[in-house]
Amino acid sequence: MQTKLVKIENKPSDDASMEEAAELIKNGELVAFPTETVYGLGADALRPEAAKKIYAAKGRPSDNPLIVHICKYEELLSIAKEVPPQAKKLADAFWPGPLTMIVWKNERVPYETTGGMDTVAVRMPNHPTALRLIEESGCLIAAPSANTSGKPSPTEATHVLRDMDGRIPMILDGGPVRIGLESTIIDLTEEKPMILRPGYITKEMFEEVLGEEVQIDPGILAADITDPSKGGQKPKAPGMRYKHYAPKADLVLIEGATDHVVAKINELVAGGQKEGLRIGVIATDETYHRYQADVVFSIGARTDEDAIAQHLYKILREFDEQEVDAIYSESFKTPRIGQAIMNRLLKAAGYQVLHV
Ligand code: TXA
Ligand code: MG
């Protein structure tokens, strides 16, 4: 299959391409499109065969459910069995935006889309191209991140092309995404709302809108969710259970005071190079010049957490291109989305952390 990559700039000249993309979705085919978080790989959410094509293209385990993207609040009501009282408040506050809500599904939603679950994940993305594709196709669009299963989510169209070339008919190129981390997932099917995946919207932001306590899935806070013998509880979102976002090289995080971290990383780099290995480092603008590795990337200024989030996946992908053997990274415990950033980095590192 030929994969067509088309630039969409939200101008009248896009009309023909958008029509073509909408037509593909209507016909049960796959189209990758930009959202404000990461690129999605979309298909008609209410058609089992269309959902199956998504799993095949990504190489995704069929028990890992998809997020259904909508463009109007009423569409949530059309696929939910019951709508919990918090849903409207959260939608008013955060939709369109980087928020996914889990609710009980009704019979319109096939189990192929929900990975066999009786609940469904729903999100209204805040991106003109995504909203237009949903609207013009007249479909609800199931879309996981548009990467090969296990790889970092795509934050640019070229990342999608790298993973999906020859596997899907069309990619809509809207340039680099704004946020760079996947949406926050909140589960509204339990007694208390619970965050299943941290993201741009935080526990504190939810609590302010809802006026009630919001929990965080203990499974995602555990030291090492991939090793149950370490006492880790299983995360509720199936996709949070595996090593993920991983670059090809082994990644280790170094945590501690900056000077100690820089010294330790340089020591590890020297050790690796002595063995003939090619070593990469994830630094910040502040520390970038202090490393002597083969490949050093700055993720941004340490105080600019939006930049750190935006650059993380791109950098992980670039290390794959650079064919390094090992990567050492500084840690990023920033105030607001630091939890989301560290959650992704820890998973990418398979929970290998050195404290200095
Ligand atoms: O920002 C985003 O959410 C992006 C863009 C494209 O919208 N999408 C995305 O989808 O990150 P994906 O498939 O890569 O991640 C969906 C996550 C997975 O961890 C999956 O297990 C979880 O959501 N999930 C989906 N439906 C669920 C359900 N009914 N119950 C629990 N977890 C669910
Ligand atoms: Mg994903």
Side-chain angles (χ1 to χ4, degrees):
M1 182 186 300
Q2 278 275 87
T3 301
K4 196 165 166 180
L5 179 73
V6 281
K7 275 226 153 43
I8 300 293
E9 294 166 316
N10 302 302
K11 290 185 189 151
S13 54
D14 299 331
D15 289 358
S17 299
M18 287 307 299
E19 207 172 293
E20 188 182 341
E23 204 58 36
L24 283 165
I25 296 284
K26 270 189 221 164
N27 291 332
E29 298 299 332
L30 306 186
V31 175
F33 60 94
T35 81
E36 79 280 36
T37 56
V38 300
Y39 274 76
L41 180 60
D44 185 344
L46 303 186
R47 275 187 31 200
E49 328 81 67
K52 277 190 192 158
K53 284 187 189 166
I54 294 181
Y55 290 95
K58 277 180 68 84
R60 179 174 176 122
S62 61
D63 63 350
N64 191 2
L66 309 174
I67 296 175
V68 177
H69 294 67
I70 61 174
C71 67
K72 298 185 204 75
Y73 181 74
E74 292 66 45
E75 291 170 335
L76 167 68
L77 311 181
S78 80
I79 54 171
K81 189 164 165 193
E82 50 195 77
V83 178
Q86 298 99 339
K88 183 77 173 72
K89 284 188 191 167
L90 293 178
D92 284 343
F94 301 118
W95 274 358
L99 166 66
T100 296
M101 296 191 228
I102 310 275
V103 297
W104 294 104
K105 79 173 195 73
N106 68 20
E107 67 295 335
R108 286 186 75 209
V109 187
Y111 283 114
E112 282 77 2
T113 295
T114 66
M117 296 178 87
D118 288 314
T119 54
V120 61
V122 188
R123 170 163 119 83
M124 190 190 295
N126 187 10
H127 194 291
T129 306
L131 291 170
R132 185 170 173 192
L133 186 63
I134 301 166
E135 171 124 47
E136 285 192 18
S137 65
C139 296
L140 309 190
I141 298 187
S145 48
N147 51 284
T148 303
S149 190
K151 290 246 263 161
S153 297
T155 55
E156 296 177 9
T158 49
H159 301 165
V160 181
L161 188 66
R162 191 95 169 104
D163 287 9
M164 294 297 151
D165 197 12
R167 297 175 163 264
I168 64 174
M170 194 171 191
I171 301 170
L172 302 176
D173 179 356
V177 299
R178 189 162 51 81
I179 294 179
L181 293 179
E182 305 85 348
S183 60
T184 308
I185 301 179
I186 189 165
D187 182 1
L188 300 178
T189 65
E190 306 266 355
E191 211 172 301
K192 280 192 180 150
M194 188 160 79
I195 294 173
L196 304 188
R197 179 173 72 183
Y200 189 83
I201 298 173
T202 61
K203 171 178 155 80
E204 291 70 29
M205 289 159 82
F206 284 129
E207 287 177 340
E208 199 181 318
V209 168
L210 294 177
E212 67 176 310
E213 195 197 341
V214 170
Q215 293 174 326
I216 298 181
D217 181 358
I220 60 172
L221 296 175
D224 183 353
I225 54 169
T226 58
D227 183 356
S229 71
K230 291 188 183 155
Q233 188 179 323
K234 235 169 138 186
K236 192 171 174 192
M240 298 297 280
R241 289 177 198 153
Y242 319 109
K243 181 167 173 179
H244 207 286
Y245 314 112
K248 286 185 215 145
D250 211 37
L251 169 66
V252 180
L253 310 186
I254 320 296
E255 228 169 54
T258 304
D259 286 343
H260 296 166
V261 169
V262 172
K264 185 69 191 175
I265 290 180
N266 276 328
E267 179 192 319
L268 291 163
V269 170
Q273 286 174 335
K274 214 179 261 169
E275 290 173 39
L277 301 177
R278 208 171 134 72
I279 313 283
V281 170
I282 302 180
T284 55
D285 288 354
E286 293 84 350
T287 55
Y288 179 77
H289 60 280
R290 297 174 66 185
Y291 292 108
Q292 290 97 44
D294 298 280
V295 185
V296 183
F297 286 124
S298 172
I299 198 164
R302 186 158 275 284
T303 47
D304 186 355
E305 53 178 346
D306 290 330
I308 294 174
Q310 238 171 31
H311 299 148
L312 175 62
Y313 290 152
K314 182 186 170 77
I315 286 180
L316 292 178
R317 278 180 178 266
E318 279 178 9
F319 279 122
D320 281 354
E321 307 287 323
Q322 295 276 345
E323 307 204 329
V324 294
D325 302 299
I327 306 166
Y328 298 107
S329 175
E330 297 181 11
S331 300
F332 307 97
K333 292 224 161 83
T334 64
R336 196 170 41 87
I337 44 177
Q339 188 173 44
I341 294 168
M342 283 308 287
N343 169 266
R344 306 310 196 275
L345 252 181
L346 278 165
K347 276 157 67 71
Y351 297 86
Q352 301 186 85
V353 185
L354 271 180
H355 299 271
V356 291

Short mmCIF file of all heavy atoms in Angstrom, two decimals, residues 164-195:
data_model
loop_
_atom_site.label_atom_id
_atom_site.label_comp_id
_atom_site.label_asym_id
_atom_site.label_seq_id
_atom_site.Cartn_x
_atom_site.Cartn_y
_atom_site.Cartn_z
N MET A 164 4.51 3.81 10.02
CA MET A 164 3.31 3.34 9.32
C MET A 164 3.44 3.31 7.79
O MET A 164 2.48 2.99 7.11
CB MET A 164 2.10 4.23 9.69
CG MET A 164 1.70 4.12 11.14
SD MET A 164 1.14 2.44 11.53
CE MET A 164 1.59 2.35 13.26
N ASP A 165 4.61 3.65 7.26
CA ASP A 165 4.78 3.70 5.80
C ASP A 165 4.42 2.34 5.19
O ASP A 165 4.95 1.32 5.61
CB ASP A 165 6.22 4.08 5.45
CG ASP A 165 6.35 4.55 4.01
OD1 ASP A 165 5.30 4.78 3.37
OD2 ASP A 165 7.48 4.68 3.53
N GLY A 166 3.52 2.38 4.22
CA GLY A 166 3.11 1.14 3.55
C GLY A 166 1.99 0.39 4.27
O GLY A 166 1.47 -0.59 3.75
N ARG A 167 1.66 0.83 5.49
CA ARG A 167 0.64 0.12 6.27
C ARG A 167 -0.72 0.81 6.27
O ARG A 167 -1.73 0.22 6.60
CB ARG A 167 1.09 0.00 7.73
CG ARG A 167 2.33 -0.82 7.90
CD ARG A 167 2.80 -0.80 9.35
NE ARG A 167 3.73 -1.88 9.56
CZ ARG A 167 3.39 -3.06 10.06
NH1 ARG A 167 2.17 -3.30 10.46
NH2 ARG A 167 4.29 -4.01 10.18
N ILE A 168 -0.71 2.13 5.99
CA ILE A 168 -1.98 2.89 6.00
C ILE A 168 -2.03 3.79 4.76
O ILE A 168 -0.98 4.16 4.24
CB ILE A 168 -2.12 3.74 7.29
CG1 ILE A 168 -1.02 4.82 7.39
CG2 ILE A 168 -2.05 2.85 8.53
CD1 ILE A 168 -1.20 5.79 8.55
N PRO A 169 -3.25 4.14 4.30
CA PRO A 169 -3.32 4.92 3.06
C PRO A 169 -2.96 6.40 3.20
O PRO A 169 -2.49 7.01 2.25
CB PRO A 169 -4.78 4.77 2.62
CG PRO A 169 -5.53 4.33 3.82
CD PRO A 169 -4.56 3.61 4.71
N MET A 170 -3.16 7.00 4.40
CA MET A 170 -3.02 8.46 4.45
C MET A 170 -2.58 8.99 5.82
O MET A 170 -3.04 8.51 6.86
CB MET A 170 -4.36 9.09 4.08
CG MET A 170 -4.30 10.55 3.75
SD MET A 170 -5.90 11.06 3.07
CE MET A 170 -5.50 12.69 2.48
N ILE A 171 -1.70 9.99 5.78
CA ILE A 171 -1.28 10.70 6.99
C ILE A 171 -1.54 12.19 6.78
O ILE A 171 -1.08 12.76 5.79
CB ILE A 171 0.23 10.50 7.28
CG1 ILE A 171 0.56 9.02 7.45
CG2 ILE A 171 0.66 11.30 8.51
CD1 ILE A 171 2.07 8.72 7.48
N LEU A 172 -2.27 12.82 7.69
CA LEU A 172 -2.47 14.26 7.62
C LEU A 172 -1.38 14.92 8.46
O LEU A 172 -1.24 14.64 9.65
CB LEU A 172 -3.86 14.63 8.17
CG LEU A 172 -5.04 13.96 7.45
CD1 LEU A 172 -6.37 14.32 8.13
CD2 LEU A 172 -5.07 14.36 5.97
N ASP A 173 -0.60 15.79 7.81
CA ASP A 173 0.55 16.41 8.47
C ASP A 173 0.17 17.81 8.96
O ASP A 173 0.05 18.73 8.17
CB ASP A 173 1.72 16.49 7.46
CG ASP A 173 2.95 17.16 8.06
OD1 ASP A 173 2.89 17.63 9.21
OD2 ASP A 173 3.98 17.20 7.36
N GLY A 174 0.01 17.95 10.26
CA GLY A 174 -0.33 19.25 10.84
C GLY A 174 0.85 19.89 11.56
O GLY A 174 0.66 20.75 12.40
N GLY A 175 2.06 19.42 11.26
CA GLY A 175 3.25 19.97 11.94
C GLY A 175 3.41 19.36 13.32
O GLY A 175 2.68 18.45 13.69
N PRO A 176 4.41 19.84 14.07
CA PRO A 176 4.65 19.30 15.43
C PRO A 176 3.45 19.58 16.34
O PRO A 176 2.80 20.62 16.21
CB PRO A 176 5.87 20.09 15.91
CG PRO A 176 6.45 20.75 14.72
CD PRO A 176 5.36 20.91 13.72
N VAL A 177 3.17 18.65 17.25
CA VAL A 177 2.03 18.83 18.15
C VAL A 177 2.37 19.85 19.24
O VAL A 177 3.53 20.17 19.46
CB VAL A 177 1.61 17.50 18.82
CG1 VAL A 177 1.19 16.50 17.76
CG2 VAL A 177 2.73 16.95 19.69
N ARG A 178 1.35 20.32 19.93
CA ARG A 178 1.55 21.38 20.93
C ARG A 178 2.00 20.80 22.29
O ARG A 178 2.89 21.35 22.93
CB ARG A 178 0.25 22.16 21.09
CG ARG A 178 0.32 23.40 21.92
CD ARG A 178 -0.88 24.32 21.64
NE ARG A 178 -2.15 23.62 21.73
CZ ARG A 178 -2.78 23.36 22.88
NH1 ARG A 178 -2.25 23.73 24.03
NH2 ARG A 178 -3.94 22.74 22.88
N ILE A 179 1.38 19.70 22.72
CA ILE A 179 1.65 19.21 24.09
C ILE A 179 2.74 18.14 24.13
O ILE A 179 3.68 18.23 24.91
CB ILE A 179 0.34 18.72 24.74
CG1 ILE A 179 -0.60 19.91 24.94
CG2 ILE A 179 0.64 18.02 26.08
CD1 ILE A 179 -1.94 19.58 25.56
N GLY A 180 2.61 17.11 23.33
CA GLY A 180 3.69 16.12 23.26
C GLY A 180 3.58 14.93 24.18
O GLY A 180 4.37 14.00 24.08
N LEU A 181 2.64 14.93 25.11
CA LEU A 181 2.36 13.76 25.95
C LEU A 181 0.89 13.40 25.76
O LEU A 181 0.06 14.29 25.58
CB LEU A 181 2.58 14.06 27.43
CG LEU A 181 3.99 14.35 27.92
CD1 LEU A 181 3.95 14.64 29.42
CD2 LEU A 181 4.94 13.19 27.63
N GLU A 182 0.56 12.11 25.86
CA GLU A 182 -0.82 11.68 25.68
C GLU A 182 -1.73 12.26 26.76
O GLU A 182 -1.29 12.62 27.84
CB GLU A 182 -0.92 10.15 25.70
CG GLU A 182 -0.02 9.44 24.72
CD GLU A 182 1.37 9.23 25.26
OE1 GLU A 182 1.72 9.82 26.30
OE2 GLU A 182 2.13 8.47 24.63
N SER A 183 -3.04 12.28 26.44
CA SER A 183 -4.05 12.85 27.34
C SER A 183 -4.06 12.19 28.72
O SER A 183 -3.69 11.03 28.88
CB SER A 183 -5.44 12.67 26.71
OG SER A 183 -5.72 11.30 26.51
N THR A 184 -4.51 12.96 29.70
CA THR A 184 -4.79 12.40 31.03
C THR A 184 -6.02 11.51 30.91
O THR A 184 -7.01 11.90 30.29
CB THR A 184 -5.11 13.53 32.03
OG1 THR A 184 -4.09 14.51 31.99
CG2 THR A 184 -5.26 12.97 33.44
N ILE A 185 -5.97 10.31 31.50
CA ILE A 185 -7.15 9.43 31.49
C ILE A 185 -7.76 9.42 32.89
O ILE A 185 -7.06 9.13 33.87
CB ILE A 185 -6.78 7.99 31.09
CG1 ILE A 185 -6.15 7.97 29.70
CG2 ILE A 185 -8.02 7.09 31.14
CD1 ILE A 185 -5.73 6.58 29.23
N ILE A 186 -9.06 9.73 32.97
CA ILE A 186 -9.75 9.66 34.26
C ILE A 186 -10.89 8.64 34.16
O ILE A 186 -11.66 8.66 33.20
CB ILE A 186 -10.25 11.05 34.73
CG1 ILE A 186 -10.77 10.98 36.17
CG2 ILE A 186 -11.31 11.62 33.80
CD1 ILE A 186 -10.93 12.34 36.83
N ASP A 187 -10.94 7.75 35.12
CA ASP A 187 -11.95 6.69 35.14
C ASP A 187 -13.13 7.15 35.99
O ASP A 187 -12.97 7.45 37.17
CB ASP A 187 -11.29 5.44 35.76
CG ASP A 187 -12.24 4.25 35.79
OD1 ASP A 187 -13.39 4.38 35.32
OD2 ASP A 187 -11.82 3.19 36.30
N LEU A 188 -14.32 7.21 35.36
CA LEU A 188 -15.51 7.66 36.08
C LEU A 188 -16.45 6.50 36.39
O LEU A 188 -17.63 6.70 36.65
CB LEU A 188 -16.24 8.74 35.26
CG LEU A 188 -15.43 10.00 34.94
CD1 LEU A 188 -16.24 10.97 34.09
CD2 LEU A 188 -14.97 10.70 36.23
N THR A 189 -15.96 5.28 36.33
CA THR A 189 -16.85 4.13 36.55
C THR A 189 -16.74 3.57 37.97
O THR A 189 -17.45 2.64 38.32
CB THR A 189 -16.54 2.98 35.56
OG1 THR A 189 -15.23 2.48 35.84
CG2 THR A 189 -16.61 3.45 34.12
N GLU A 190 -15.84 4.12 38.77
CA GLU A 190 -15.71 3.64 40.15
C GLU A 190 -16.40 4.66 41.06
O GLU A 190 -16.84 5.71 40.61
CB GLU A 190 -14.22 3.56 40.54
CG GLU A 190 -13.39 2.74 39.59
CD GLU A 190 -13.24 1.29 40.01
OE1 GLU A 190 -13.72 0.94 41.12
OE2 GLU A 190 -12.64 0.52 39.24
N GLU A 191 -16.44 4.33 42.34
CA GLU A 191 -17.12 5.23 43.29
C GLU A 191 -16.47 6.62 43.27
O GLU A 191 -17.15 7.63 43.25
CB GLU A 191 -17.03 4.63 44.67
CG GLU A 191 -18.22 4.98 45.54
CD GLU A 191 -18.17 4.19 46.82
OE1 GLU A 191 -18.17 2.94 46.73
OE2 GLU A 191 -18.09 4.83 47.88
N LYS A 192 -15.12 6.62 43.28
CA LYS A 192 -14.41 7.90 43.22
C LYS A 192 -13.67 8.00 41.89
O LYS A 192 -13.11 7.01 41.43
CB LYS A 192 -13.37 7.97 44.34
CG LYS A 192 -13.97 8.34 45.68
CD LYS A 192 -12.86 8.67 46.66
CE LYS A 192 -13.47 9.03 48.01
NZ LYS A 192 -12.58 8.70 49.12
N PRO A 193 -13.63 9.20 41.29
CA PRO A 193 -12.87 9.35 40.04
C PRO A 193 -11.40 8.98 40.27
O PRO A 193 -10.84 9.30 41.31
CB PRO A 193 -12.99 10.83 39.71
CG PRO A 193 -14.09 11.36 40.55
CD PRO A 193 -14.23 10.47 41.73
N MET A 194 -10.82 8.30 39.28
CA MET A 194 -9.43 7.89 39.44
C MET A 194 -8.62 8.14 38.16
O MET A 194 -9.06 7.79 37.07
CB MET A 194 -9.38 6.40 39.80
CG MET A 194 -7.99 5.93 40.18
SD MET A 194 -8.05 4.40 41.11
CE MET A 194 -8.28 3.24 39.79
N ILE A 195 -7.44 8.72 38.32
CA ILE A 195 -6.55 8.97 37.18
C ILE A 195 -5.82 7.67 36.83
O ILE A 195 -5.14 7.09 37.68
CB ILE A 195 -5.53 10.08 37.52
CG1 ILE A 195 -6.26 11.41 37.71
CG2 ILE A 195 -4.47 10.21 36.41
CD1 ILE A 195 -5.37 12.55 38.21
#
